[in-house]
Structure formats: C-alpha cells, structure tokens
Amino acid sequence: MKSVKVGLLGLGTVGTGVVRIVEGHQEDLSSQVGSPIVIEKVAVKNIDKHRSIDIERNKLTEDPWEVIHDPEIDVIIEVMGGVEQTKEYILEALNRGKHIVTANKDLMALYGAEILAKAMEQQCDVFYEASVAGGIPIIRTLIEGFSSDRILKIMGIVNGTTNYILTKMSQEGASYDDVLAEAQQLGYAEADPTSDVEGLDAARKMAILGSLGFRTNVDLRDVAVRGITAVSKEDILYAKRMGYEIKLLGIAERQDDEYSISVQPTMVKHSHPIAAVNGVFNAVYVYGEAVGETMFYGPGAGEMPTATSIVADLVAVIKNKKLGVNGLRAIGPYKPKKLRTDEQIAYKNFLLLQVADKAGVLSKITQVFAEYDVSLESVVQSPNASTSDAEIIIVTHNASKAAMDKVLNHFESLDVIRKVKSAYRVEG
Ligand SMILES: NC(=O)C1=CN([C@@H]2O[C@H](COP(=O)(O)OP(=O)(O)OC[C@H]3O[C@@H](n4cnc5c(N)ncnc54)[C@H](OP(=O)(O)O)[C@@H]3O)[C@@H](O)[C@H]2O)C=CC1
Ligand SMILES: N[C@@H](CC=O)C(=O)O
Ligand code: NA
C-alpha cells in the first residue's frame, strides 16, 4: 500500500505533538485513510537543538525549501509560524500540487483569501482548523455544521494565553507577569506574546471566524482591538462584586447584513456559560437565526490539543485525495461586506469612576448620560477607604458606541469626576 508522505515545517510545541499523534495513532489513522502516513522531512531552525521526541536526524533540515521541493511529499504541515516568507513557502507548495495543513492564524487572517484562491486553482486543499481555538473543531463546524443557517453572532474566548492569565488573576490573585511567564513555559503563548496580550492573536482568529460565519471577507483591519494589559486586579475585584467575570472576548455580529467585529476585555455576567470558561480553555458561542444558541468548548492552545486538529485536517486531506475532490469543496466568501458604524454598534457598558464625595455629584453625572440619551441600568456608590473621594460603578443599558464616546469625552471636562478608572463592554 502506497504511503502518504508528509513534510513538516516546524517541530516546536505543535510540530512535536503532530509527530506524537501520527506515530502513536498510526494504526487508527491508516485504517481510516487506507494508507500508512509517513513524516518524510522536517524543517527546523536549529538542527542540533535537543528534541523531546526521537526523530531520525537525516529527516531534519534547516532549509524549508528542501521540504517544499521534495517531489515525494504530498502534504505540507506548516507549524513554524511567520507570515511573509511562510506565505512564499505555502504558495510554492500549492504551485507544486501539494496540500496544506496549517495552524497559522497570522498568515490566514492576512492572506487567507489569496492562499485559498490559489488552492482552488491548483485543486489542492488548505485546511487550518488548528488556527482558531486549537483543539475545538470550530472551523469545520462553521463551514459544514452551520451551512444551513444564517449566523447572527459569534462570541468567543479564542486566546488561551490571556484566558489563562485572567483566570489565575481572578481565582488566585496571581500577578500578571508571573502568569504570562507560566503560559509561555507551557507553550501556550505566541513567539512574541505581545500579540496574545494586546489582543491581536484573538483579532486574527475573529477575522477568520467572521469570514467563515458570515461568508464575507473580514479583514484584520475591520476588527476593533483592545487587549488585556490595562486590566487591573481592582477591575477584577469590582467585576466579581457586581456578578461579572472579565474575559477577553471576540464578538462578531451581523444585523441586516451589516457587520461589526471586535476584541476587548468584557464583563461577562456569571450566569452566561462563557463566564465559566477558565484557564487555557476556549469557547465559541454561535447564535444562528434558525438554531438559536450553541456553544463549543475545549482547549485553545498547547501541544496535543492543537496537534489533534492538525492531524484531523491531514486525515481530511487524504480522504479527499482518495475521493478525488481536493480543492473542490471550499466555498469562498460570497457576501458583500458592509461594516456597522459607531452609531449602529450598541452594547451595555460598565464604568468605574473616581469622583468627589460631595452632594450633587450623582445628578451632574446622570445629566451627562441623559444629554446623550444613554439610559442606566444600575448605579452603585461606595466611599474609597484610602482617599476622601468616592467610587461609582455604573452599568448602562444598550448604548451606541458613538454616544458612549461622547459621554466619556464629556467626563474629561466634568469637575466632579477625578478619573474614569475603567470602562468595559458588558455581555450576558
Ligand atoms: N502553541 C500553540 O498552542 C498553538 C500554536 N499555533 C500556531 O502554530 C504555529 C507554531 O507554534 P508553536 O509550535 O507554538 O511554535 P514554536 O516556536 O514552539 O515552534 C516553531 C518551530 O518552527 C521552527 N522554525 C521557526 N522558524 C523557522 C525557519 N525560519 N526555518 C525552519 N524552521 C523554523 C522552529 O525550529 P527550532 O525547533 O529549531 O527552533 C520550531 O521547531 C504558529 O503559527 C502558532 O501561532 C496555533 C494554535 C496553538
Ligand atoms: N497563543 C495562542 C495559541 C493558540 O492559538 C493562544 O494562547 O491561544
Ligand atoms: Na479549531
């Protein structure tokens, strides 16, 4: 029986897991696809680096082109990261008729449309399940499971590193820096963890999910992004007191075929199932017009969960090969894209204000909300033990982003407000 030969670009956290699964589950895998699967060549940066798995040295190369150019290799698994150079490798592999499996959301969020178009032209598959929510089969679900529905909202915890950090800060009072170092050690964080904590990694994933869910071409520039670096322990404590957890949420919404996509730390009501998603776990909540509410949960990063998705994609490529349908089943974006304006985007807001503790303050503040037509759900005032000021927590009803920006702008010149300590979107 002819084996399927695989070239691996990268043998780090994810690549190592791929080798473990292909070797450890070989019998099951080859029974499913009808051929043995062989990891033929592996590109790494440093051939002399110590590896936690046994791999024949003559399979390793420091030149990715050697893998791309190998005529024996049928499928390239790209788990090395990088964008511009990696795109060249992928496009050339497609030119040579090789199928691609990748975990690279940076690449797919920026150049997915171009790569998928080339794949169709070459009748090759490009699968990227591992790129969003590592171990959760969410991409397959959006493409196939929801093909019959119209998706109105996708809300997700799609970054494992930041969820791990927020969970440890909330549950153990741990310090941000310590937990980030831990997440890096566990292999959850990106090579440059700035993209995790600044929300860019989640934004890339939301661009991918938005494109698939709404069947339109969501560009990374369409995603409004705010990361978790400014989330303080105080914010987390106040959130808990008011019945919320702070989560880095990606939110993609559709109304009348107009879209908004954002990533921001969000106050999520304890009663919402996404508030209970902790540690490196991810969850993607999908609201479909016909199906209603659904939610998908699982590990979002790490060696074995991510490798599970990669190898499942590999199995799909080989099954398609047997059926002769590679590159034929993809459906490109077909809906025109129209983004919602700040006047149209509306949600609840949580504000923590430091104010002068004297008579008439509350009425001055509520007058500002009234001026911009923002109505309030709750107002809680408490003295601040360490100063003569007071703190006010305000939760608004749904208000447009434009109106809230005006309120916050007005607060800058309102004498009774010392400081807007924090402002969060509220969900649930
Ligand atoms: N870690 C995770 O949980 C997840 C990661 N991803 C994505 O998967 C990809 C890989 O991530 P991860 O495994 O964590 O990354 P690592 O940094 O652990 O591994 C990267 C691998 O690529 C090799 N490599 C890097 N640059 C080159 C190059 N120029 N030429 C040849 N080899 C190179 C490295 O070689 P060497 O070993 O010699 O240094 C290493 O083996 C990224 O795109 C990431 O975003 C997606 C989902 C989850
Ligand atoms: N750095 C990412 C890895 C998976 O995509 C994360 O933390 O989610
Ligand atoms: Na996934």
Side-chain angles (χ1 to χ4, degrees):
M1 207 188 311
K2 193 173 177 295
S3 58
V4 173
K5 296 200 167 128
V6 175
L8 197 54
L9 303 181
L11 189 58
T13 303
V14 184
T16 301
V18 169
V19 174
R20 281 193 219 279
I21 292 182
V22 168
E23 289 178 354
H25 300 183
Q26 180 64 226
E27 199 182 322
D28 274 339
L29 294 171
S30 53
S31 303
Q32 287 181 68
V33 300
S35 325
I37 299 175
V38 175
I39 307 273
E40 183 76 2
K41 252 191 201 136
V42 184
V44 292
K45 206 185 220 164
N46 177 4
I47 208 167
D48 295 319
K49 194 171 177 176
H50 172 75
R51 310 274 160 195
S52 60
I53 44 166
D54 283 333
I55 188 129
E56 292 159 50
R57 195 179 162 88
N58 64 6
K59 288 195 170 182
L60 297 180
T61 172
E62 290 180 357
D63 180 11
W65 287 119
E66 219 183 286
V67 182
I68 308 292
H69 291 160
D70 187 333
E72 292 290 303
I73 287 175
D74 309 288
V75 186
I76 299 284
I77 294 180
E78 186 278 301
V79 282
M80 59 187 265
V83 177
E84 300 300 332
Q85 181 61 63
T86 308
K87 176 187 160 207
E88 297 309 312
Y89 296 139
I90 300 290
L91 290 177
E92 182 53 23
L94 289 168
N95 275 330
R96 289 167 181 260
K98 298 184 196 305
H99 309 286
I100 308 292
V101 175
T102 179
N104 194 330
K105 54 268 170 164
D106 311 21
L107 179 71
M108 292 310 288
L110 280 171
Y111 295 117
E114 183 182 343
I115 289 170
L116 293 170
K118 168 65 80 182
M120 292 263 264
E121 185 189 305
Q122 293 295 107
Q123 298 201 351
C124 288
D125 286 330
V126 172
F127 290 153
Y128 47 104
E129 183 60 77
S131 69
V132 183
I136 309 175
I138 187 63
I139 290 185
R140 195 163 281 120
T141 300
L142 287 178
I143 295 174
E144 292 174 12
F146 287 106
S147 59
S148 55
D149 205 352
R150 184 175 300 135
I151 292 171
L152 301 181
K153 184 166 184 174
I154 302 172
M155 190 162 79
I157 294 176
V158 289
N159 182 271
T161 302
T162 46
N163 204 45
Y164 188 78
I165 294 173
L166 291 173
T167 302
K168 289 254 175 175
M169 283 173 75
S170 169
Q171 294 184 349
E172 298 167 21
S175 93
Y176 173 90
D177 290 330
D178 288 351
V179 198
L180 173 58
E182 221 180 286
Q184 285 178 286
Q185 215 169 18
L186 289 164
Y188 302 154
E190 295 303 299
D192 175 1
T194 318
S195 67
D196 293 296
V197 297
E198 297 286 5
L200 191 56
D201 178 79
R204 288 166 173 151
K205 292 165 173 168
M206 289 310 295
I208 294 172
L209 293 184
S211 296
L212 293 170
F214 301 144
R215 327 278 183 207
T216 190
N217 198 359
V218 177
D219 191 288
L220 193 52
R221 282 167 301 197
D222 303 331
V223 187
V225 191
R226 191 177 129 203
I228 65 158
T229 48
V231 176
S232 65
K233 281 189 184 173
E234 186 187 31
D235 290 348
I236 292 173
L237 282 175
Y238 273 110
K240 273 180 193 276
R241 199 193 290 172
M242 300 292 290
Y244 300 104
E245 283 297 328
I246 299 181
K247 295 289 179 190
L248 184 70
L249 279 197
I251 302 175
E253 287 174 297
R254 163 194 200 155
Q255 226 174 59
D256 305 326
D257 279 338
E258 292 177 348
Y259 310 96
S260 66
I261 305 105
S262 61
V263 168
Q264 62 276 296
T266 305
M267 297 270 178
V268 186
K269 262 265 182 251
H270 276 142
S271 53
H272 194 286
I274 221 162
V277 175
N278 288 319
V280 73
F281 280 85
N282 281 190
V284 183
Y285 165 99
V286 181
Y287 187 91
E289 191 178 84
V291 71
E293 291 186 294
T294 63
M295 198 165 104
F296 305 87
Y297 171 78
E303 178 182 322
M304 298 310 275
T306 311
T308 305
S309 289
I310 295 271
V311 182
D313 276 352
L314 175 62
V315 167
V317 168
I318 304 172
K319 284 183 176 169
N320 282 353
K321 222 162 127 61
K322 301 263 150 142
L323 294 169
V325 294
N326 295 109
L328 296 180
R329 297 171 67 193
I331 304 169
Y334 55 84
K335 283 221 168 256
K337 179 177 65 185
K338 188 151 185 255
L339 296 175
R340 291 171 73 71
T341 63
D342 284 358
E343 282 72 26
Q344 293 171 303
I345 299 170
Y347 45 82
K348 288 184 179 189
N349 297 267
F350 172 108
L351 296 183
L352 172 59
L353 308 176
Q354 185 178 334
V355 301
D357 196 2
K358 58 184 186 193
V361 168
L362 213 48
S363 80
K364 278 190 174 175
I365 291 172
T366 52
Q367 268 167 30
V368 176
F369 282 105
E371 187 177 334
Y372 299 106
D373 208 19
V374 174
S375 72
L376 305 183
E377 182 185 281
S378 68
V379 179
V380 177
Q381 179 170 353
S382 55
N384 183 320
S386 54
T387 70
S388 56
D389 293 341
E391 274 164 354
I392 296 184
I393 294 172
I394 295 173
V395 179
T396 72
H397 285 297
N398 269 355
S400 78
K401 186 170 181 309
M404 275 311 292
D405 285 346
K406 284 182 192 152
V407 168
L408 291 171
N409 198 32
H410 194 138
F411 280 173
E412 278 176 24
S413 57
L414 197 67
D415 58 347
V416 294
I417 294 191
R418 308 263 193 252
K419 195 174 170 192
V420 176
K421 293 183 90 176
S422 43
Y424 289 93
R425 179 171 177 154
V426 175
E427 282 290 328

